[in-house]
Amino acid sequence: MDDREHMAWLNLGMVYKAVGRRSDAIGAVRQALRIENGNRDVYYELARLFNYDNNFDAMLATLKGFVQSKQFPASLLPNADSWVQRNIIRTVAPRFDGLKPLQGKSANGVIVFLCCGDDEEFLELHRSLYLLERFFLATKRYQVVILHEGLDKGEKESLSSVLKTRELQFELVNFKFPAFVDESKVPAKLHRAGHAWSVGYRHMSRFFCKGLFEMEFMEKFDWYWRLDADSMILGSVKYDPFETLASSNKDYGYNLITIEDKEVIPGLWDTVKAWFPNGLPKARSLSSHFAQGQWDGAMFYTNFEVSRKGFWTEAPYTKFFKQIDKSQGIYHERWGQCPH
């Protein structure tokens, strides 16, 4: 079968989605999944369509189907779409009574989201908050902060209604160019490797490298857990990520390493090497990604990261990032803190 057939159905689904034909979009992407049952992008887009169609059960089943496809050979999933349909979970409202708290004293941590690029992301954040509370916050008392550029009262109330065990905190962010960047020379749309990134996206990338740690509300926290609107926790979290890092004297926890497309980051590795003329510091856990002094493009997925705030506010990092920042690759290229 032509490998391009599933992409044709997927692209058709995206066209239907763009013109508001949700039912047709779901049908087209389901057909793509029938053809290519191990493709991450197909699962992901189908889950997003179910979410946007307010079908939470189907969205959750689709995401679990993706996990299933990665745990077993594709031959064991002859019809992924049928598997998803059979395993749609009839979700009921979460129960918080009778739950035993996780062991240990809660670390001084905060959970942060940045919201929202569009209506779809706004809807996804409702789902992400629901799952976060159901599978983690019901037994922990961490503050959740929504960073935003201007949510109105109704939008805040809508998000606040999701959580039953605590109040959301909202913090306004003001994205702007640093003084050393000539705004008139920054492309409104940056085109690389078949993708395009807005100025707002590049502001966001810089914010999570620097601005987040300078916000006033962060002063009272030692740890942060960053989640995106589409970061979905699919089962009970049996441990506390903050406590786990703190007790093991670790600075950073992540969920996945991926390989960045080097077409979108020209000049980044040269800038890094210039800062370390005697070679990069030794890091056993990352050594396989720097064979013979060259970076293979590996990077952390940052839509699910937990870290000690001090790592990002202490001199070794701040001096290094100042060099990166001054190079202006964040705005003139797509240097950033997340994969494209």
Side-chain angles (χ1 to χ4, degrees), residues 209-210 213-214 275 309-325:
C209 294
K210 183 177 187 288
F213 315 113
E214 298 174 342
W275 182 251
K309 183 188 68 176
F311 179 88
W312 311 99
T313 58
E314 294 163 2
Y317 172 77
T318 57
K319 289 181 178 179
F320 168 71
F321 180 72
K322 185 176 181 179
Q323 173 78 3
I324 297 293
D325 208 16

Side-chain angles (χ1 to χ4, degrees), residues 26-27 29-37 43 46 50 62 77-88:
I26 289 172
V29 179
R30 285 182 60 185
Q31 179 62 24
L33 187 59
R34 295 184 187 105
I35 297 168
E36 180 57 62
N37 66 6
Y43 276 104
L46 182 59
F50 280 136
T62 302
L77 289 171
N79 193 325
D81 178 68
S82 294
W83 188 95
V84 169
Q85 297 307 306
R86 289 197 308 270
N87 287 274
I88 290 179

Side-chain angles (χ1 to χ4, degrees), residues 1 5 38 61 75 112 155 184 194 221 225 262 293 314 321:
M1 184 174 292
E5 185 176 355
S75 60
V112 297
E155 291 168 331
S184 67
F221 297 108
W225 182 357
K262 293 192 176 180
E314 294 163 2
F321 180 72

Side-chain angles (χ1 to χ4, degrees), residues 294-306:
Q294 293 299 314
W295 174 46
D296 67 0
M299 66 177 301
F300 301 113
Y301 255 99
T302 54
N303 61 356
F304 195 102
E305 68 175 7
V306 186

Side-chain angles (χ1 to χ4, degrees), residues 6 25 32 34 40 205 214 227 243-244 259 261 266 285 288 304 324 327 331:
H6 82 277
R34 295 184 187 105
R40 178 186 68 186
S205 289
E214 298 174 342
L227 295 170
E243 293 175 8
T244 300
I259 301 298
D261 185 342
S285 61
S288 63
F304 195 102
I324 297 293
S327 299
Y331 287 104

Side-chain angles (χ1 to χ4, degrees), residues 8 38 44 62 104 120 201 241 286:
Y44 181 67
T62 302
E120 185 171 0
Y201 178 91
L286 299 176

